[in-house]
Amino acid sequence: MSARRAWLDPRLVIGVALVLASLAGVWLVVQQSSSSDRAWAATRTLLPGDTIAAGDVEPVDVRLPQSHERYLDSSVEPIGMLVASTVGEGEVLPVRAVGEARAVSRSAVVIEVDGALPTAVRAGALVDVWTAAPSDDGFDAPSVLVDEAIVVGLVEDDGILASAAAQLELLVPSDATAPLLEAIADEHALSVVPLAQPVEAAP
């Protein structure tokens, strides 16, 4: 009779229940940490104004707990979408980085910059464009003409009459396009100052 009472001891039952609850909790944590979501990742650096084509993105398995709604789910077809902000090669495609044509208001402009470019001036970098108007004494004091232009890349000029200046293709806000073209036509001295490093591939 005493053995039966020991087996039905409430403290023993509670102890067993706590052990089972602990094991269940560990199992749930392991299941959640090992689960992954299907999303899209860029196979190359995507710049604002680019239209996503086949081969520009690929589906990948990623762990996005608590933030999956910020990224484009693999059930959504990104082909044909317009890139609204820079996405680095290998980076998971954020929802905010894609949109319709009207969401992107930038124009592509090629400028010439004398002298060496900073190493941070690479595809995807943000730069300010500074300009100095010609004057009788050389050039006026420089000032910022374009805020936060996006570097597309360096334009190679292999022609016989190739310029010694570096030619840089930029995406500039549409409202800054006319002033920049006017500065180019008036032979202003142009310089670029990097604001941020180019987007790197996600680890």
Side-chain angles (χ1 to χ4, degrees):
M1 189 68 174
S2 60
R4 180 176 178 81
R5 288 177 180 172
W7 174 251
L8 296 177
D9 190 331
R11 291 173 296 180
L12 179 61
V13 174
I14 293 173
V16 172
L18 290 175
V19 171
L20 293 177
S22 177
L23 291 175
V26 171
W27 181 84
L28 287 174
V29 170
V30 172
Q31 287 296 108
Q32 290 179 355
S33 63
S34 63
S35 63
S36 61
D37 297 295
R38 197 76 165 162
W40 293 100
T43 59
R44 65 175 181 87
T45 297
L46 302 175
L47 299 174
D50 287 349
T51 299
I52 299 177
D56 289 341
V57 293
E58 62 182 0
V60 293
D61 290 321
V62 291
R63 295 178 184 176
L64 300 173
Q66 302 177 357
S67 60
H68 63 277
E69 70 280 356
R70 300 178 185 176
Y71 297 90
L72 200 66
D73 187 86
S74 62
S75 62
V76 179
E77 177 58 62
I79 307 303
M81 288 186 174
L82 204 63
V83 179
S85 59
T86 304
V87 181
E89 180 180 351
E91 184 182 352
V92 178
L93 199 64
V95 172
R96 61 170 176 76
V98 294
E100 300 176 357
R102 63 175 179 271
V104 179
S105 56
R106 291 181 180 268
S107 303
V109 178
V110 175
I111 67 172
E112 289 191 351
V113 180
D114 290 320
L117 292 171
T119 56
V121 178
R122 292 178 285 164
L126 288 175
V127 298
D128 279 347
V129 180
W130 288 67
T131 179
S135 67
D136 294 337
D137 298 326
F139 291 93
D140 292 336
S143 59
V144 177
L145 181 64
V146 181
D147 293 313
E148 296 188 357
I150 300 171
V151 177
V152 175
L154 192 65
V155 178
E156 299 292 340
D157 189 353
D158 298 327
I160 297 176
L161 300 177
S163 171
Q167 294 187 326
L168 200 62
E169 183 177 355
L170 305 175
L171 291 173
V172 302
S174 295
D175 58 0
T177 302
L180 179 57
L181 293 177
E182 183 178 354
I184 294 172
D186 291 340
E187 298 183 346
H188 288 209
L190 300 176
S191 302
V192 293
V193 177
L195 301 178
Q197 294 291 336
V199 176
E200 302 292 344

